Amino acid sequence: MPVSLRLARAHLPFLDWPRLTAAQARQEILAGFTVALLVVPQSIAYATLAGMPAITGIYAALIPAFIALLFCRSQRLGVGPTALTSMLIAASLAPLAQPGSANWVNLALWLALLSGLMQLAMGVLRAGWLMNLIASPVMMAFTQASALLIVWSQVRPLVGWTPPPNGQPFWTGAHWQACAMGLASLVLMVVLRRLAPRLPAILAAVVLAGLASWALGFEQLGGEVVGPVPSGFPALALPHWPGWTELGTLIVPAAVIALVSLLETASSARVDNQDKGLPWDQDQDMIGQGLSKIAAAFSGSFATSTSFSRSALNLAAGAQTAWANAVCIAGVALTLLLLTPLLAPVPQATLAAIVVITVVNLLKPSQWRALWRISRTEALTAAVTFVVTLITAPRIYWGVVAGIVLTLTHLLYWRLHPRIIEVGMHPDGSLRDRHLWHLPPLAPHVLALRMDAPLDFSTAPAFEKGALDALRRAPHTRHFFLFAQPINRVDASGVEAFARVLADLRRQGITLHLVGLKLPAQRLQQADPTGRELVQYRTEAEALHAISRLPGDHEPPAWGDHI
């Protein structure tokens, strides 16, 4: 294969789309149509959650989804509006503009553009490792706190509540017809999911609620509906310049959206690629996701991401290739061309019910119990993330920032305080912490230490202090064994600290023995300014054999002797 074609296929995944047989085509059409029945009503609901006009939700499921399909390597994922990204958009813009206003829409376009450029840059620079900044407990806590906020935000449209006149009880502000419509939609979707899970429950709720609204004159009774939805494809245009001040306020939210979107993609892409037996190409997927968001900015919609529910439905429906998503996008295009007038009478209460029924699945108390059993420190970090997300609403992105800061602080603490133990022989034949397991020394006059960390600038002071303190506690030491298998990196600070320990050992007439020194740690051999070769053993077995042959109270062997 020519190099140019190989490079093109590496960066243009759509070149690898397969040709389908008739049976495969039928299966892909069925899977795509199944997802299309969900994506249109769900996209409208998420547009409402983001404070955007309803039509922008459908726009987000068209051109941005198509761009993602062309450039993402994981081609069976459902890209479009998602609950978490929509909530982040609404939270980020709440202090800056009125929901649904022209300024709000314009800022949402810029938010999509900025987050898209960030993801595109991460993909091009192969910086997928940045997603590791958000630890799993932080993402879990942020997701569940956001889910609570999303559900709470939908209570008002679910019951049609408006502020009552002064002095009136709060419940008098509810619109009872809207409340009945919303609760009926909610109950219908719950019942259909349990009794007939193969039926499109969300589509059924939208159709029945729309028919009921039209037949009962719901809008004339004061109920809020979707209203007129324009037909046709979106016009491509540049967003208006918002000014440097407002643009600056969007940087942090855009970065959080980019990272959260990457994690949403990762959760679905790993399942997709595992099913196909392929490694996940995270950098190419980041490029596709970034281009999708940029396309959203130029097509009048808002930031998109990967929907886990739609991706799971696509896989469950039997999708095998990208053609299933192409069929789904074609269904969205058909809706824009022919079916948007049918959306006008759909009650806003039904859209709120769709959001609630989708988001409530994100609330999983069992994850907290499991996390507490695994690591209480990480559970506390998750709890802080959860609380900060709630109390900083609508600026909920600070919850993620707080979680990242706590995670990195915890990581830095453990790097600055490495595990340094004196080892002894356990009855099972392994070397373990002598003091924890109450084991005797390996031999008289022998001190054996192991540091389970790299020897670099962050751990060097702790290594030097730990070694010298251990020597002070064992004044009769004649042989110092350093089991260095876990040391997989040494920098200049590590070499200097090791040299100081070596000098102290020589002043006391103690022989240093290095065990299992790895190639990346060979710099330790440069710590001896005299150039004398250090006593080394390749394996623990060799070192233990040497210990068994050490003279009792005699002088230590000369430097450079190898056992």
Side-chain angles (χ1 to χ4, degrees):
M1 181 186 298
V3 175
S4 58
L5 181 57
R6 188 164 60 248
L7 289 175
R9 286 191 168 181
H11 300 290
L12 302 174
F14 60 85
L15 294 178
D16 289 329
W17 287 16
R19 293 183 178 181
L20 302 178
T21 64
Q24 289 174 326
R26 285 193 296 271
Q27 182 61 46
E28 297 298 282
I29 291 172
L30 177 61
F33 180 72
T34 301
V35 178
L37 295 178
L38 169 66
V39 70
V40 172
Q42 199 176 63
S43 296
I44 296 173
Y46 289 157
T48 304
L49 176 61
M52 298 288 286
I55 188 62
T56 61
I58 307 179
Y59 289 166
L62 184 65
I63 295 179
F66 184 65
I67 295 298
L69 182 61
L70 292 179
F71 292 97
C72 284
R73 183 67 62 184
S74 304
Q75 297 168 338
R76 295 188 295 174
L77 304 186
V79 177
T82 65
L84 198 52
T85 301
S86 298
M87 181 64 180
L88 282 169
I89 293 170
S92 304
L93 302 184
L96 304 176
Q98 183 69 25
S101 65
N103 189 33
W104 179 286
V105 172
N106 187 59
L107 291 176
L109 299 181
W110 276 99
L111 202 54
L113 180 59
L114 290 173
S115 58
L117 289 173
M118 290 177 185
Q119 278 195 315
L120 179 61
M122 286 191 289
V124 171
L125 298 176
R126 307 186 70 81
W129 56 268
L130 284 172
M131 74 176 179
N132 298 327
L133 290 175
I134 304 182
S136 176
V138 171
M139 186 62 184
M140 180 272 292
F142 175 73
T143 299
Q144 298 207 26
S146 299
L148 280 179
L149 292 172
I150 290 172
V151 171
W152 176 251
S153 71
Q154 296 306 297
V155 171
R156 180 172 176 172
L158 186 66
V159 301
W161 189 85
T162 55
N166 292 334
Q168 296 295 320
F170 73 92
W171 61 79
T172 60
H175 188 278
W176 301 112
Q177 292 89 342
C179 183
M181 197 73 75
L183 294 179
S185 300
L186 199 60
V187 170
L188 175 64
M189 287 185 286
V190 171
V191 171
L192 285 180
R193 284 189 171 187
R194 292 189 176 182
L195 300 183
R198 297 182 66 87
L199 292 179
I202 290 179
L203 180 65
V206 169
V207 171
L208 293 177
L211 289 173
S213 171
W214 172 76
L216 299 174
F218 180 72
E219 186 177 10
Q220 286 71 35
L221 295 174
E224 294 185 2
V225 297
V226 171
V229 178
S231 299
F233 297 151
L236 301 181
L238 295 172
H240 301 297
W241 175 250
W244 288 110
T245 302
E246 289 189 326
L247 190 67
T249 62
L250 299 179
I251 297 298
V252 173
V256 172
I257 288 175
L259 285 174
V260 170
S261 172
L262 178 57
L263 289 173
E264 285 186 310
T265 300
S267 64
S268 297
R270 289 193 177 105
V271 175
D272 176 40
N273 286 277
Q274 184 178 10
D275 181 64
K276 293 187 293 185
L278 298 173
W280 177 38
D281 189 350
Q282 61 183 22
D283 297 313
Q284 185 60 44
D285 276 0
M286 274 195 296
I287 291 174
Q289 291 284 335
L291 292 173
S292 172
K293 291 178 176 62
I294 294 171
F298 294 138
S299 60
S301 55
F302 51 91
T304 56
S305 186
T306 299
S307 168
F308 187 82
S309 61
R310 294 198 297 271
S311 300
L313 178 60
N314 199 28
L315 296 178
Q320 296 297 321
T321 70
W323 289 108
N325 270 330
V327 172
C328 177
I329 294 170
V332 173
L334 185 65
T335 300
L336 278 170
L337 291 175
L338 304 175
L339 303 178
T340 53
L342 302 178
L343 299 171
V346 175
Q348 291 285 352
T350 298
L351 298 183
I354 293 173
V355 174
V356 170
I357 197 69
T358 304
V359 170
V360 75
N361 294 323
L362 300 176
L363 298 173
K364 299 176 180 178
S366 61
Q367 291 181 334
W368 290 94
R369 293 192 296 270
L371 181 59
W372 181 259
R373 289 194 298 267
I374 295 171
S375 171
R376 295 189 176 184
T377 300
E378 289 187 284
L380 291 174
T381 299
V384 172
T385 302
F386 184 87
V387 172
V388 172
T389 302
L390 292 178
I391 65 177
T392 58
R395 295 180 175 89
I396 61 173
Y397 47 82
W398 289 115
V400 174
V401 174
I404 292 175
V405 170
L406 286 176
T407 302
L408 294 180
T409 301
H410 182 234
L411 174 65
L412 183 60
Y413 175 84
W414 284 110
R415 284 301 303 272
L416 294 174
H417 299 80
R419 183 171 183 258
I420 302 174
I421 61 171
E422 182 182 354
V423 297
M425 180 62 68
H426 192 271
D428 67 3
S430 63
L431 296 178
R432 299 196 184 185
D433 188 334
R434 188 173 81 79
H435 300 290
L436 178 64
W437 293 92
H438 307 292
L439 305 174
L442 290 178
H445 311 299
V446 170
L447 176 63
L449 295 187
R450 187 183 74 210
M451 184 175 75
D452 298 332
L455 183 55
D456 56 20
F457 72 96
S458 63
T459 60
F463 167 75
E464 183 177 0
K465 183 178 184 301
L468 298 181
D469 286 349
L471 286 168
R472 280 192 289 271
R473 291 192 299 269
H476 302 295
T477 298
R478 307 302 295 162
H479 300 275
F480 182 93
F481 280 75
L482 177 62
F483 287 82
Q485 295 96 328
I487 301 177
N488 55 14
R489 179 178 180 271
V490 176
D491 65 5
S493 299
V495 172
E496 291 175 1
F498 182 79
R500 289 191 291 270
V501 171
L502 178 60
D504 193 83
L505 291 173
R506 288 184 174 167
R507 280 195 299 270
Q508 300 181 53
I510 300 173
T511 303
L512 172 68
H513 305 256
L514 286 175
V515 183
L517 193 65
K518 295 180 179 178
L519 183 62
Q522 292 294 323
R523 294 178 185 174
L524 292 181
Q525 296 177 349
Q526 305 170 11
D528 187 359
T530 66
R532 287 183 290 181
E533 192 174 358
L534 302 178
V535 182
Q536 296 189 53
Y537 313 95
R538 290 186 178 275
T539 66
E540 286 184 358
E542 291 180 7
L544 294 175
H545 179 66
I547 291 173
S548 69
R549 296 176 56 195
L550 287 174
D553 295 325
H554 297 91
E555 291 297 318
W559 290 94
D561 291 347
H562 290 270
I563 301 175

